[in-house]
Amino acid sequence: MGRPALSETLSVDRVISTFVSYGMWALTIGIVVFLWLPLSQIIALSFTENSVLFPLGGVTLQNYVSLFTNESLLAAARQSALVATVSAAVATLIGVPLGFALARHSFRGRSALRGLVIVPLLMPGIIMGISLLVLFRVVGLSSGFFTTVLAHSVYGLPFIVLPVVARLAVFDRKLEEGARDLGADGRSVLQDVTLPIISPAIAAGFVFAWLRSFEDFIRVFFVGGTMDALTKEMYGMVVYSQGTEAMDPMATIIVLIVSIALAIAINLRDILEYV
């Protein structure tokens, strides 16, 4: 008597399971298309003679010639890369010890410090930019390269601390104890055991801190002063409609560099696990 009902239940479950499976595939494909369609359009436009895809103009490399002869845009790109590298390095040098302190030590104000570390990640860019501008003016710092590095170092700190804390939370301390039992001192344990194991987390934080610094506009707008930055330069091109033919090639090269960097990082070690 119970077998027909059981068969009907199994059939309904199978239908629902199939529907959910295909639905998830459709959702995934839709998200990928939504994310990559604008990027694909930019890449295609970098090789066309006109600024729209339809009607499609002729294929040309003149846009890339315009890019590599636009010295102001190239200089701004080099400046942004330098700022991103320095600020990500500063955030790493501060964030790794801070992550160790939050993960392995108990002290007064630890919970408050953990919350403060996340604040730059949650604070709106315009609020952070204005507040840092006011602070720099109060202490007498002129807006420029140094203030931008300071702002981006603070902004990049959560990207370093959070992965390090997460990795140390699941770290097997027996590995360090075993190294000490074999005669290794504290420095050797740190260099040969701890840091190699948590290095993917550090690398993940560095990559994201670098990328967030390189693509930032709002904070640079407030604290960058007259410093040339890629985002400010491209914004000026859009506002004044000057040299816009070099924007699509520059965006294409940035997408290519970021994709290659992430592909290499993923193949060497799965850093995305810690992001």
Side-chain angles (χ1 to χ4, degrees):
M1 295 294 292
R3 289 182 179 180
L6 179 60
S7 299
E8 292 178 2
T9 302
L10 291 176
S11 179
V12 172
D13 290 343
R14 188 178 295 110
V15 170
I16 294 175
S17 178
T18 302
F19 177 78
V20 171
S21 177
Y22 282 104
M24 291 303 298
W25 272 106
L27 178 62
T28 301
I29 294 173
I31 292 175
V32 171
V33 171
F34 178 78
L35 292 176
W36 279 97
L37 186 59
L39 296 177
S40 301
Q41 179 180 349
I42 290 175
I43 294 173
L45 287 175
S46 69
F47 294 99
T48 60
E49 293 180 351
N50 51 4
S51 58
V52 293
L53 285 178
F54 301 102
L56 182 64
V59 177
T60 180
L61 294 177
Q62 185 59 41
N63 295 331
Y64 286 87
V65 175
S66 300
L67 168 63
F68 290 110
T69 55
N70 191 329
E71 185 54 38
S72 62
L73 187 61
L74 295 177
R78 291 192 294 268
Q79 186 79 298
S80 292
L82 178 61
V83 169
T85 303
V86 174
S87 60
V90 172
T92 302
L93 292 175
I94 299 174
V96 173
L98 184 56
F100 271 90
L102 291 174
R104 293 192 169 181
H105 300 280
S106 297
F107 51 89
R108 184 175 298 178
R110 177 170 172 263
S111 298
L113 180 59
R114 186 191 294 269
L116 289 174
V117 167
I118 307 176
V119 168
L121 197 61
L122 304 177
M123 184 181 299
I126 189 170
I127 302 300
M128 185 176 180
I130 293 174
S131 60
L132 288 175
L133 176 62
V134 173
L135 174 63
F136 293 148
R137 286 182 175 177
V138 169
V139 300
L141 289 177
S142 300
S143 298
F145 178 85
F146 182 66
T147 54
T148 304
V149 168
L150 288 178
H152 283 179
S153 298
V154 173
Y155 182 43
L157 197 60
F159 295 102
I160 304 295
V161 175
L162 296 181
V164 170
V165 171
R167 184 65 185 92
L168 289 174
V170 297
F171 188 90
D172 188 358
R173 300 294 296 272
K174 293 180 180 179
L175 297 174
E176 295 176 331
E177 295 173 1
R180 292 191 183 94
D181 291 340
L182 293 174
D185 57 13
R187 182 176 180 180
S188 298
V189 171
L190 178 65
Q191 292 180 346
D192 299 332
V193 178
T194 309
L195 288 181
I197 293 177
I198 69 171
S199 59
I202 299 174
F206 184 91
V207 168
F208 265 72
W210 193 95
L211 291 175
R212 300 304 292 174
S213 172
F214 186 79
E215 61 84 31
D216 180 57
F217 170 75
I218 299 178
R219 297 161 190 81
V220 175
F221 181 81
F222 284 101
V223 304
T226 58
M227 183 194 75
D228 291 329
L230 181 60
T231 50
K232 290 173 61 178
E233 189 73 17
M234 296 179 74
Y235 174 76
M237 288 180 174
V238 173
V239 172
Y240 300 107
S241 298
Q242 296 179 351
T244 54
E245 66 277 359
M247 289 184 57
D248 289 331
M250 175 59 76
T252 300
I253 291 175
I254 293 173
V255 170
L256 181 62
I257 292 175
V258 171
S259 300
I260 292 175
L262 288 177
I264 293 174
I266 291 171
N267 287 326
L268 291 178
R269 273 188 171 176
D270 190 8
I271 65 170
L272 296 184
E273 177 184 353
Y274 304 101
V275 175

